[in-house]
Amino acid sequence: MWKGAIGFGLVSVPVRLYAATQEHGVRLHQVHDKDGGRIHLKRVCDVCGEQIDYEHIAKGFEDDEGHTAVVTQDELAGLPLPSKKLIDVLAFVDSDRIDPLQLASSYYLAPESAAANKPYVLLRETLKQTDRVAVTKIALRTRESLALLRVHGDLLTLHTMYWPDEVRDSGDLAPPASVTVRPQELKMATSLMDTLSEDFDLAEQEDEYEVALRELIDAHLSDRPVPRKETAPAPDNVIDLMAALQASIDSAGKKPSEPAAGRKAPAAKAARGTGKKTAAPKKSAAARKTSSSSSTAKNSSSTAKKTTARSTTAKSTKKTAAKKTGRRAS
């Protein structure tokens, strides 16, 4: 979409610019809701009332007194624009000096030819080893903007930037400095973050709104019932922060790695943490008596069973002996 060169000092690197991102989505048109007819916007002059072709449309600026300055396309094209075909490097700075709020669109930069490979790799490796980025200027679609040149894998990438005065002051939007959090709240929040981050794959994320929109369109095209999906309402308040954090962790299927301050860990868990066995808790006197009586009853029952078994064995032995004596006598 753009061809030029990167210039820093006396070094020039011919490059080509390619869009690095693309927005997906279902394109909808304006139509008449009664019959589905397309709605077309016409360019009509409010002075003469005529419909104007695109080649006769110029640019204009109106001041506070209502005076209009008409600027033609030829006049705009004749304005000096040093960065029209040049990515002009202004400085090399540490990457942490760039405010992410200033970043806008992203582009890939590729060498223009085989002759550009050597200086391209030199610039890429220098930026990589010094952990720096280049602040540049570039003109895209007749508009000059700041841009950030950095390394992404084996490529150089360019990110257009907002000018410093285009980033609004945040003012007093942040909570007051008097608001603080307790250490146990930080531990619980960290545990929740760890739980939500397990097995997360950014590549698996999808635009749920677009999916629902496609289902809606398909239903209209095939004369099927329109699917209805409810959106869960956002919570409007948090009454107990600790309880909300704990409930969030529980719903994510994982307990916090450390108990909150002020709460004692169960004896068994504490023992596992130290590697020592925990003695079984002592029973009450009544429980010991009941257990002793139960053991005595079990022992008596077992003794009776053994005695009965011995008696039965003895009787069986006597009967067998009597039968053998009878057979000998006969």
Side-chain angles (χ1 to χ4, degrees):
M1 58 172 291
W2 183 92
K3 182 171 70 173
I6 302 172
F8 60 105
L10 298 178
V11 180
S12 178
V13 186
V15 292
R16 286 181 180 268
L17 195 72
Y18 300 87
T21 60
Q22 60 180 2
E23 294 186 3
H24 59 77
V26 180
R27 186 176 180 181
L28 301 176
H29 307 287
Q30 291 184 337
V31 297
H32 189 190
D33 59 354
K34 292 184 178 180
D35 52 24
R38 289 284 296 271
I39 304 298
H40 296 279
L41 302 180
K42 296 181 179 181
R43 296 179 291 270
V44 178
C45 175
D46 60 359
V47 175
C48 63
E50 295 181 1
Q51 183 174 341
I52 309 301
D53 295 331
Y54 187 76
E55 62 265 21
H56 295 294
I57 295 179
K59 302 292 184 179
F61 177 82
E62 184 176 348
D63 62 11
D64 296 336
E65 299 179 356
H67 302 143
T68 300
V70 178
V71 182
T72 65
Q73 297 290 348
D74 291 338
E75 289 175 330
L76 290 174
L79 292 177
L81 196 57
S83 57
K84 187 173 183 179
K85 290 294 181 181
L86 178 67
I87 301 175
D88 187 17
V89 175
L90 305 177
F92 296 95
V93 300
D94 295 335
S95 57
D96 57 4
R97 287 185 56 185
I98 303 302
D99 186 352
L101 285 177
Q102 286 188 257
L103 300 182
S105 302
S106 301
Y107 302 90
Y108 291 131
L109 281 174
E112 163 64 17
S113 61
N117 288 340
K118 183 75 173 181
Y120 183 97
V121 172
L122 174 63
L123 177 57
R124 183 193 68 191
E125 293 304 309
T126 305
L127 289 174
K128 186 183 298 184
Q129 292 184 16
T130 59
D131 193 23
R132 292 184 178 182
V133 295
V135 178
T136 70
K137 278 186 179 182
I138 186 174
L140 296 174
R141 302 183 186 92
T142 70
R143 181 181 177 184
E144 187 177 58
S145 69
L146 282 176
L148 183 72
L149 189 67
R150 71 180 187 92
V151 178
H152 180 75
D154 293 333
L155 275 178
L156 292 175
T157 57
L158 186 82
H159 306 268
T160 55
M161 300 173 62
Y162 296 105
W163 298 95
D165 59 355
E166 291 181 318
V167 179
R168 294 179 176 178
D169 184 9
S170 61
D172 55 355
L173 299 179
S178 58
V179 178
T180 59
V181 293
R182 296 177 295 170
Q184 57 266 38
E185 292 170 338
L186 286 173
K187 289 181 180 180
M188 294 286 286
T190 302
S191 180
L192 175 58
M193 289 181 181
D194 293 340
T195 301
L196 295 176
S197 302
E198 288 181 354
D199 302 324
F200 175 76
D201 187 358
L202 184 60
E204 294 180 355
Q205 305 308 305
E206 64 177 3
D207 187 346
E208 297 182 14
Y209 176 82
E210 183 184 351
V211 172
L213 179 57
R214 289 186 181 278
E215 292 177 356
L216 176 62
I217 293 174
D218 291 342
H220 279 295
L221 294 176
S222 57
D223 292 329
R224 290 185 286 105
V226 175
R228 296 289 182 182
K229 291 188 178 181
E230 300 267 340
T231 301
D236 56 354
N237 64 339
V238 177
I239 300 175
D240 187 339
L241 182 58
M242 290 294 289
L245 288 171
Q246 183 62 59
S248 298
I249 294 173
D250 293 342
S251 64
K254 179 182 177 182
K255 299 295 182 182
S257 57
E258 294 185 35
R263 301 178 185 174
K264 294 184 178 180
K269 291 184 179 179
R272 285 198 297 269
T274 57
K276 298 180 181 180
K277 292 184 178 180
T278 305
K282 296 182 179 181
K283 298 180 180 180
S284 62
R288 287 198 299 271
K289 288 181 180 180
T290 304
S291 176
S292 177
S293 301
S294 175
S295 298
T296 303
K298 289 180 179 178
N299 290 337
S300 300
S301 175
S302 176
T303 303
K305 288 180 179 180
K306 289 180 180 179
T307 303
T308 304
R310 285 197 295 269
S311 176
T312 303
T313 304
K315 289 179 181 180
S316 176
T317 303
K318 287 179 180 181
K319 287 181 180 180
T320 304
K323 287 180 181 179
K324 286 182 180 180
T325 304
R327 283 198 297 269
R328 288 197 205 99
S330 61

